[in-house]
Amino acid sequence: MADNSGYCRRMRLEHPRLTERFGAVRIHELQRVIELDSGSDRAEGSGEHTLTSQIVSSAAIRGIERELAIVIPCMNETRRVIEGVLSGIPHDCLIILVSNSQRAPVDRYEIERQTVEQFCRLAERPALTIHQRDPGLAAAMKAAGLPELLDDDGLVWNGKGEAMLVGMALAALSGRHYVGYVDADNYVPGSVNEYCKAFAAGLHQADSPYAMVRISWHSKPKLKDGRLFFSRRGRTSEVTNQFINRLIAEYSGFGTDVVTTGNAGEHALTLELGMRMRLAGGFAVEPFEYVDLFEQFGGVLESPHPSVMVDGVMVRQIETRNPHFHDDKGESHVHDMRLQALNVLYHSPVCLPPVREAILEFLVTQGALAPGEEPARERTYPPLSTLALDRLLDGLTTEATSFRQIEGRLAAGILMDPPIPRPQPMVS
Amino acid sequence: MADNSGYCRRMRLEHPRLTERFGAVRIHELQRVIELDSGSDRAEGSGEHTLTSQIVSSAAIRGIERELAIVIPCMNETRRVIEGVLSGIPHDCLIILVSNSQRAPVDRYEIERQTVEQFCRLAERPALTIHQRDPGLAAAMKAAGLPELLDDDGLVWNGKGEAMLVGMALAALSGRHYVGYVDADNYVPGSVNEYCKAFAAGLHQADSPYAMVRISWHSKPKLKDGRLFFSRRGRTSEVTNQFINRLIAEYSGFGTDVVTTGNAGEHALTLELGMRMRLAGGFAVEPFEYVDLFEQFGGVLESPHPSVMVDGVMVRQIETRNPHFHDDKGESHVHDMRLQALNVLYHSPVCLPPVREAILEFLVTQGALAPGEEPARERTYPPLSTLALDRLLDGLTTEATSFRQIEGRLAAGILMDPPIPRPQPMVS
């Protein structure tokens, strides 16, 4: 639907200098954002490549945003901060809030829902909200064919990976083609905006229907000696990235540093890819994305999706300009994240013995494992392609009392479009 | 020059609920930004007003940006931070860096200049840079008719107001119609981007050639008990705003809270207005802008510009979403700022005796004044309309060794357009 307004905003990125391949998985080296706002398109919807940079046209960015759902996993975050995050999400993206906040003594989810609703009313845009521990959601998931998602209490397991999975299922139901994740505890709306634009720019540049964009933060401010210190390297990330790179290097015989986004909280992907991927529970979810890609499409094990092998899987890593300010979750949180990351690497069938040994050694040295002990196995879930989306929708609308479809100014039909066609069966 | 790309970014603001008048000066109540990025224009270049909000079209925002120079006063800031600030400034704005960084033992200005140059090369855009204490700059200013700007050493006075004045003069030379100010010590490029967009949106909405937009920060993070606390009210601002509002209220007899941007570091204005205004030196510069507007256009004293009285002066105040992270300049800095603000209010001929007494009382109670002592007079400068811009340009290009015109991809002629016509003489 063309306008004649003609004044648009492009995003300018560095050229990625090298690409590492692991079977059909192509991982681009980190690209920095040069300008948040790179002026207007010169000609009809054109991007540009110059000697110094790539420009993704605003037309292209908007094209993606209209098909992009942004999932915000949220847990006991303040109203103000949530509102800030919402204000940073580009208008054309669909907001999907997945909450695991307390329901009693204060129903914090209800406050969150109202916050989203108020914002959407002012901003004239739609959203979906749901609570992760809603019994109706669990029942709907079970009926739709994903009983593995339920714990011993018959509710969806707690955990970030599980929240992301629920979010992706809702994105699939909405009919949008891309899903992105932004954490709710982000104090800088401008960075939220930048992540979403980077998602769109990176996804637009995809040369395959199976694509992912992972964000690396420019810096993460930390309190040190009573001042803010803008740390460039997260503690968890360093270790996770190191071992993912080692896993890759063990095959090629060449050391690599290509992966810098092993623990990327903020990332986006095409649903064509996402619905075929297995997700891990808890904090293992983000590094396990790499592991699952290597297992399914790395050419080491037989791929369940030969068509994907032909097109390949594109992974872009984009370093944003804004610093990432979020809640300081503390040492034990970091420890857990690192541990879970290494657990999933260790147990992967594509992880070769020398790397396994290195992981064991590291964990023992860190005191996280007793000598001779095996790392724990993290929970992983089947791909969402196994879900019967029509039954999921039924269950949600009839039983999930926390589920809300917030209308925007847009015509009805934006939400709950006919579900996208189910991807090819696991074995073709 | 119309493109057919047609996919644009609008900014959505709250409706301002009330407007306070002081003679010909119309001050709008604070408007919040609702969405940073409000989707695309619906029809050719249209803005929209809805029940809940105002939308400024992207076409309009871009129209302003192309005519907007952004002055960055800079003092001993790190490369990384400067680069971040630059990356947040919309591509179409002209960057003007005014530095008062040390030249020895390390020539920090040279590092800053190189940083700007590298960025401009990557981003393909132009910039101007200059050092405030350049003897050539001082000579040029003197030759152009502003000897008041020089201190006893024959150099431009140190001080933020002076840096802003130099920046405005360069903006006038560039031929651009608007000038905005963004501090260099801003750690969040997304907030820089938001300020500039808010400048453009606010200036577009101006119903007079004489217009100003002042930014109020959403919050300012502070370290408190080892954690980040997002403070809503700056300590200096509270006091300054309080007394500006009192000054206004003394005339109307009605208390008011309308002014919330007395110390707005980030603000923008039309050069038609700026060239007619007197600027104060040091930190008094921002509150004195209000004072000067009240003196020249408040209808209390005879106005030197009857034409401005007819059109009126529009002041918009916009509260941005992003928090403002910058260097913690410490208690004494805040103290100085507050003191200077109150000094200029006190000495203004439009400040009525009861308000003067209240100011005195406050300063004595704070221990900033001995009883019976008079507040200091701050330096103020004549309006830049008194400058002979052609002589300024000559002086800069021949004598100011720190002055740099950094070319971008744009055609020559973007910089150093014929200076804008000199405004009407002081007394018409």
Side-chain angles (χ1 to χ4, degrees):
Chain A
M1 189 183 65
D3 285 336
N4 280 339
S5 322
Y7 301 110
C8 316
R9 297 276 168 265
R10 317 183 294 175
M11 189 180 224
R12 187 187 297 259
L13 303 167
E14 275 184 336
H15 286 299
R17 272 158 302 181
L18 70 89
T19 305
E20 193 85 43
R21 294 191 72 112
F22 192 99
V25 184
R26 294 189 303 278
I27 305 169
H28 289 122
E29 198 189 35
L30 192 66
Q31 293 168 263
R32 286 188 320 151
V33 171
I34 293 172
E35 280 177 311
L36 299 187
D37 198 335
S38 195
S40 54
D41 290 344
R42 304 284 158 94
E44 199 164 314
S46 67
E48 260 175 69
H49 289 254
T50 73
L51 285 176
T52 58
S53 53
Q54 313 184 309
I55 297 170
V56 181
S57 75
S58 180
I61 290 179
R62 183 168 180 271
I64 303 284
E65 285 175 355
R66 289 171 99 181
E67 290 293 339
L68 175 59
I70 298 290
V71 173
I72 309 168
C74 175
M75 190 144 100
N76 298 323
E77 196 50 66
T78 60
R79 270 199 62 229
R80 257 196 210 300
V81 174
I82 293 174
E83 226 182 55
V85 170
L86 296 175
S87 75
I89 297 172
H91 183 85
D92 296 312
C93 298
L94 174 65
I95 293 164
I96 298 179
L97 187 99
V98 180
S99 170
N100 200 1
S101 304
Q102 66 183 50
R103 303 300 306 262
V106 177
D107 190 347
R108 300 202 64 129
Y109 168 69
E110 178 59 19
I111 296 170
E112 289 158 8
R113 189 197 60 70
Q114 284 175 21
T115 303
V116 175
E117 208 174 71
Q118 268 178 13
F119 173 79
C120 288
R121 190 171 59 242
L122 266 180
E124 299 173 302
R125 62 190 288 185
L128 303 176
T129 68
I130 196 161
H131 195 277
Q132 190 168 339
R133 302 286 279 171
D134 182 336
L137 167 62
M141 281 292 184
K142 187 172 176 182
L146 207 64
E148 298 90 335
L149 193 51
L150 275 51
D151 65 10
D152 299 331
D153 298 323
L155 302 176
V156 170
W157 281 98
N158 286 309
K160 189 175 181 200
E162 287 81 357
M164 287 168 54
L165 194 153
V166 169
M168 191 187 293
L170 291 182
L173 281 176
S174 77
R176 300 247 173 165
H177 296 148
Y178 308 98
V179 63
Y181 298 96
V182 170
D183 286 339
D185 65 341
N186 188 324
Y187 290 91
V188 182
S191 68
V192 171
N193 194 251
E194 191 187 9
Y195 300 153
C196 295
K197 285 173 88 166
F199 291 163
L203 287 168
H204 168 72
Q205 292 180 317
D207 47 9
S208 159
Y210 314 103
M212 182 184 293
V213 179
R214 298 172 78 89
I215 300 294
S216 176
W217 307 325
H218 177 266
S219 59
K220 197 166 146 184
K222 293 203 183 312
L223 294 178
K224 208 168 124 167
D225 308 322
R227 326 174 29 222
L228 272 183
F229 179 72
F230 285 79
S231 169
R232 288 273 290 159
R233 305 258 166 265
R235 295 160 292 174
T236 320
S237 298
E238 286 271 4
V239 170
T240 306
N241 292 333
Q242 219 174 296
F243 279 104
I244 294 177
N245 285 321
R246 259 215 73 172
L247 188 154
I248 297 171
E250 200 65 29
Y251 284 88
S252 66
F254 288 95
T256 180
D257 291 322
V258 73
V259 172
T260 51
T261 56
N263 276 108
E266 280 73 26
H267 61 287
L269 59 166
T270 61
L271 275 177
E272 293 261 43
L273 177 62
M275 299 293 275
R276 288 170 167 80
M277 290 176 66
R278 292 170 298 155
L279 261 61
F283 292 119
V285 56
E286 283 122 12
F288 187 72
E289 284 172 334
Y290 273 111
V291 172
D292 186 61
L293 289 180
F294 296 157
E295 291 182 11
Q296 293 206 50
F297 312 116
V300 175
L301 310 173
E302 185 174 337
S303 175
H305 302 288
S307 55
V308 176
M309 296 297 286
V310 170
D311 286 309
V313 177
M314 180 203 85
V315 179
R316 275 191 190 264
Q317 305 179 92
I318 296 180
E319 183 185 273
T320 45
R321 282 284 191 177
N322 282 286
H324 190 94
F325 283 91
H326 68 173
D327 291 337
D328 183 11
K329 300 189 183 75
E331 277 293 334
S332 71
H333 170 85
V334 169
H335 179 76
D336 288 343
M337 284 183 75
R338 191 188 296 175
L339 198 60
Q340 292 185 25
L342 295 178
N343 290 343
V344 295
L345 284 170
Y346 179 88
H347 286 289
S348 173
V350 302
C351 185
L352 293 171
V355 185
R356 280 210 183 114
E357 274 156 44
I359 291 175
L360 269 182
E361 204 179 304
F362 177 83
L363 289 173
V364 169
T365 314
Q366 292 284 308
L369 267 191
E373 196 186 341
E374 266 245 315
R377 283 190 178 271
E378 301 296 333
R379 251 188 331 276
T380 63
Y381 300 104
L384 289 184
S385 56
T386 56
L387 269 187
L389 288 173
D390 45 350
R391 258 178 264 155
L392 177 65
L393 180 54
D394 275 347
L396 285 177
T397 45
T398 56
E399 298 190 60
T401 52
S402 73
F403 181 56
R404 290 289 186 282
Q405 298 182 48
I406 296 165
E407 296 288 317
R409 198 188 199 199
L410 303 167
I414 292 292
L415 299 181
M416 301 305 124
D417 270 355
I420 59 178
R422 207 183 296 188
Q424 301 293 326
M426 286 289 287
V427 182
S428 20
Chain B
M1 192 181 66
D3 287 338
N4 281 338
S5 320
Y7 300 109
C8 316
R9 295 279 167 265
R10 317 182 294 176
M11 189 179 223
R12 188 188 296 259
L13 304 167
E14 273 184 337
H15 285 298
R17 272 158 301 180
L18 70 89
T19 304
E20 192 85 46
R21 294 190 73 112
F22 193 99
V25 184
R26 296 190 301 277
I27 305 170
H28 289 120
E29 196 188 35
L30 192 66
Q31 293 169 263
R32 286 187 324 150
V33 170
I34 293 172
E35 280 177 309
L36 299 187
D37 194 337
S38 195
S40 52
D41 290 344
R42 302 285 158 93
E44 197 162 319
S46 66
E48 258 174 71
H49 291 254
T50 74
L51 283 177
T52 58
S53 54
Q54 313 184 310
I55 297 171
V56 181
S57 74
S58 179
I61 290 179
R62 183 165 182 272
I64 302 285
E65 286 174 355
R66 291 172 99 180
E67 290 294 338
L68 175 59
I70 298 290
V71 172
I72 309 169
C74 176
M75 191 145 100
N76 298 324
E77 197 49 70
T78 61
R79 271 196 62 229
R80 256 195 211 301
V81 174
I82 293 173
E83 229 184 52
V85 171
L86 296 175
S87 76
I89 297 173
H91 183 86
D92 296 312
C93 297
L94 173 65
I95 292 164
I96 298 178
L97 186 99
V98 180
S99 170
N100 200 3
S101 302
Q102 67 184 47
R103 304 299 307 262
V106 176
D107 191 347
R108 301 203 63 130
Y109 170 67
E110 180 58 21
I111 296 172
E112 289 157 7
R113 191 197 57 71
Q114 285 175 19
T115 304
V116 175
E117 211 175 68
Q118 271 179 11
F119 172 80
C120 288
R121 191 172 58 239
L122 267 180
E124 299 175 300
R125 63 191 287 185
L128 304 175
T129 68
I130 197 162
H131 194 275
Q132 189 168 339
R133 299 286 279 172
D134 183 339
L137 167 63
M141 280 293 183
K142 187 173 179 183
L146 207 64
E148 298 91 334
L149 193 52
L150 276 50
D151 66 10
D152 299 332
D153 298 324
L155 301 176
V156 170
W157 282 98
N158 286 308
K160 190 175 182 199
E162 289 79 356
M164 288 168 52
L165 194 152
V166 169
M168 192 187 293
L170 291 181
L173 282 175
S174 78
R176 299 245 174 167
H177 296 148
Y178 309 98
V179 64
Y181 297 97
V182 169
D183 286 340
D185 67 339
N186 186 322
Y187 291 92
V188 182
S191 69
V192 171
N193 194 251
E194 190 187 10
Y195 299 154
C196 294
K197 286 174 83 165
F199 291 162
L203 287 168
H204 169 73
Q205 292 179 319
D207 46 9
S208 156
Y210 314 103
M212 182 184 292
V213 180
R214 297 171 78 89
I215 301 290
S216 175
W217 308 323
H218 177 266
S219 60
K220 197 164 146 187
K222 295 207 182 310
L223 295 179
K224 208 167 125 168
D225 307 320
R227 333 177 20 229
L228 272 182
F229 177 73
F230 285 79
S231 168
R232 286 276 288 160
R233 304 260 166 266
R235 293 159 293 174
T236 321
S237 299
E238 285 273 3
V239 171
T240 307
N241 292 332
Q242 218 174 299
F243 279 104
I244 294 177
N245 284 320
R246 261 219 68 175
L247 187 155
I248 297 170
E250 200 64 28
Y251 284 88
S252 67
F254 287 95
T256 180
D257 291 323
V258 73
V259 171
T260 52
T261 56
N263 276 110
E266 281 74 25
H267 60 289
L269 57 168
T270 61
L271 275 175
E272 293 261 44
L273 179 60
M275 301 293 276
R276 288 171 166 80
M277 290 177 67
R278 293 168 300 156
L279 262 61
F283 291 120
V285 57
E286 284 124 11
F288 186 73
E289 285 173 332
Y290 272 113
V291 172
D292 187 60
L293 289 180
F294 296 158
E295 290 182 11
Q296 293 206 51
F297 312 116
V300 175
L301 310 173
E302 185 174 338
S303 175
H305 302 288
S307 56
V308 176
M309 295 299 286
V310 170
D311 286 310
V313 177
M314 181 203 85
V315 179
R316 277 192 188 262
Q317 305 179 91
I318 296 180
E319 184 186 273
T320 46
R321 280 285 191 178
N322 281 287
H324 190 94
F325 283 90
H326 68 172
D327 291 338
D328 183 12
K329 300 187 183 74
E331 276 294 334
S332 71
H333 171 86
V334 169
H335 180 75
D336 288 343
M337 284 183 76
R338 189 188 296 175
L339 197 61
Q340 293 185 24
L342 295 178
N343 291 344
V344 294
L345 284 170
Y346 179 89
H347 286 289
S348 172
V350 301
C351 186
L352 293 170
V355 185
R356 283 213 179 111
E357 275 158 43
I359 291 175
L360 270 181
E361 208 181 298
F362 177 85
L363 289 172
V364 169
T365 316
Q366 292 283 310
L369 265 190
E373 196 186 341
E374 267 246 313
R377 284 191 175 271
E378 301 295 332
R379 255 188 328 275
T380 63
Y381 301 103
L384 290 184
S385 57
T386 56
L387 269 186
L389 288 172
D390 45 350
R391 261 179 263 156
L392 178 65
L393 180 53
D394 275 348
L396 286 176
T397 45
T398 56
E399 297 189 62
T401 53
S402 73
F403 181 55
R404 290 289 187 283
Q405 300 183 46
I406 297 166
E407 296 289 316
R409 199 192 203 197
L410 301 167
I414 292 291
L415 299 180
M416 302 305 123
D417 268 356
I420 60 179
R422 206 181 298 185
Q424 299 296 326
M426 285 288 287
V427 180
S428 23

